[in-house]
Amino acid sequence: MELRERAIQTLKEVIDPGTTLDVVSMGLIKNLTVTEEGELSLNFQPSSNICPLALPLALDIQNTLKRLDGIKGLSVKVIDHQKADEVNRYLQEELS
């Protein structure tokens, strides 16, 4: 199975506790790309622009993908959320 497909399967483990659905089924993962070198990037669009779970879900997405074999670099970006800038800064700090 290629890395992109493994990433999607792995992301299905990330459950939104408010809906008990996974972030892939909910359509919250946008623009998932994986390069041949193993660089993975995606946008995470919370279910609303004021979703109180944006940070915990984004961290869960990032931490889940970090465990995936073959990932050489990772970029998770929150989009369309009122605190996206703050959340994205925090995510970057967690990767450092």
Side-chain angles (χ1 to χ4, degrees):
M1 183 183 309
E2 70 178 61
L3 185 53
R4 184 177 193 287
E5 191 57 38
R6 287 191 297 122
I8 291 169
Q9 292 304 313
T10 299
L11 286 168
K12 289 181 179 180
E13 298 171 12
V14 179
I15 305 298
D16 178 338
T19 63
T20 67
L21 297 172
D22 69 84
V23 294
V24 174
S25 297
M26 290 180 67
L28 305 180
I29 304 300
K30 312 288 184 186
N31 303 322
L32 173 65
T33 59
V34 181
T35 67
E36 290 183 20
E37 295 79 25
E39 299 281 334
L40 185 147
S41 66
L42 64 82
N43 292 336
F44 164 57
Q45 182 179 8
S47 56
S48 82
N49 68 343
I50 59 170
C51 176
L53 299 174
L55 177 58
L57 281 171
L59 283 170
D60 200 6
I61 289 166
Q62 185 167 278
N63 291 333
T64 298
L65 289 172
K66 282 195 307 193
R67 296 191 315 259
L68 190 60
D69 287 338
I71 298 292
K72 305 292 187 233
L74 179 59
S75 172
V76 174
K77 182 179 177 187
V78 175
I79 60 171
D80 298 333
H81 189 271
Q82 68 177 4
K83 298 194 181 221
D85 291 341
E86 293 173 43
V87 173
N88 288 328
R89 274 194 300 277
Y90 189 80
L91 291 173
Q92 284 300 318
E93 290 172 9
E94 287 295 306
L95 280 177
S96 300

